[in-house]
Amino acid sequence: VLNKPKSITKTSPISKTIVKTKITTGSTDKTLILDIPNPKIKQIIKNSNHPTGNVNITYAVWVKPERKILHGVGMPAMSVIDVGCCSNNARSALLFHSGHYGANVHYIANGNDVRLEPRLIYNIWTHITLTKNRDQLYVYINGDYAGQNIIRSGQNVFETDIYIGNSPQGRELYKGEIKGLKIWNRVLTNNEILAEYTNTTELIANL
């Protein structure tokens, strides 16, 4: 039984929408390295400040996944946030595996793929937050703790490219909608995660 953690302080054949610098909305939080209210599928942020490897990080994003069906593939992958390049040691990704009953949440680092509970319902807006404290992963759904796992991190790489809604190789195209993508280079506390969910519901209020 998992216990809810206490507050933790702690080139490809795809259509390219390239942003050469990080995107922010004027936040005074210097640890917020990416803030895109309306990200585009297949968007690429070049030479971002996102580090990969044995580092602390937080992803927060609104998603409305649709079921993806590929002939001969049982549970095709849909990358939401994919960071790095072609080497698995320099790649980290938050993605879904599209199953019959919903989208299973996965995280990839150093060639390792771990699943995180719970399964997301298709065609429903859901806010997902994933924090990585070294090798410890925590996932939150709509501001509430939902599960955790451990993953071995890869090598430390900085100034990596960020792929939104696809993988660097272009083989894990996301099907659905994405809103309010944010990335911090630290682990948010439970209270901050809940506040982020509450304060961004307006992004999907009329969708």
Side-chain angles (χ1 to χ4, degrees), residues 19-27 29-40 43-51 57-61 80-83 160-165 178 180-186 188 196:
V19 181
K20 293 186 178 180
T21 58
K22 69 175 181 177
I23 302 175
T24 62
T25 56
S27 171
D29 184 353
K30 301 302 181 182
T31 66
L32 180 63
I33 60 176
L34 192 73
D35 182 357
I36 311 179
N38 296 291
K40 298 178 181 179
Q43 185 172 344
I44 304 173
I45 293 88
K46 301 293 290 184
N47 300 322
S48 74
N49 290 339
H50 186 301
I57 207 80
T58 297
Y59 301 108
V61 62
V80 180
I81 308 166
D82 211 311
V83 183
T160 51
D161 297 343
I162 298 177
Y163 296 77
I164 300 173
I178 301 175
L181 170 60
K182 292 184 180 180
I183 303 176
W184 292 261
N185 61 4
R186 66 180 176 92
L188 266 62
E196 179 62 24

Side-chain angles (χ1 to χ4, degrees), residues 2 9 23 45 74 94 116 128 141 153 162 166 178 184 197:
L2 298 175
T9 54
I23 302 175
I45 293 88
L94 169 64
L116 294 153
I128 180 170
I141 301 298
S153 299
I162 298 177
N166 210 347
I178 301 175
W184 292 261
Y197 159 68

Side-chain angles (χ1 to χ4, degrees), residues 181-201:
L181 170 60
K182 292 184 180 180
I183 303 176
W184 292 261
N185 61 4
R186 66 180 176 92
V187 175
L188 266 62
T189 66
N190 293 343
N191 289 339
E192 288 175 318
I193 290 168
L194 180 59
E196 179 62 24
Y197 159 68
T198 303
N199 295 336
T200 58
T201 53

Side-chain angles (χ1 to χ4, degrees), residues 84-182:
C85 188
C86 305
S87 168
N88 281 335
N89 286 342
R91 179 193 179 202
S92 59
L94 169 64
L95 53 84
F96 303 147
H97 284 194
S98 184
H100 182 73
Y101 299 104
N104 300 313
V105 181
H106 286 247
Y107 184 80
I108 290 177
N110 195 35
N112 298 309
D113 184 337
V114 299
R115 179 178 172 180
L116 294 153
E117 296 294 343
R119 181 186 296 123
L120 302 187
I121 301 173
Y122 293 129
N123 302 309
I124 297 292
W125 279 108
T126 304
H127 188 264
I128 180 170
T129 305
L130 184 141
T131 67
K132 179 175 177 291
N133 181 18
R134 299 290 182 172
D135 293 339
Q136 185 69 56
L137 301 173
Y138 296 96
V139 63
Y140 299 78
I141 301 298
N142 293 335
D144 291 328
Y145 168 76
Q148 65 190 77
N149 211 326
I150 296 174
I151 192 167
R152 185 167 60 92
S153 299
Q155 65 194 47
N156 291 338
V157 179
F158 294 85
E159 295 188 354
T160 51
D161 297 343
I162 298 177
Y163 296 77
I164 300 173
N166 210 347
S167 62
Q169 296 82 9
R171 294 193 293 264
E172 298 173 355
L173 180 65
Y174 175 83
K175 185 177 181 181
E177 298 180 67
I178 301 175
K179 290 286 185 182
L181 170 60
K182 292 184 180 180

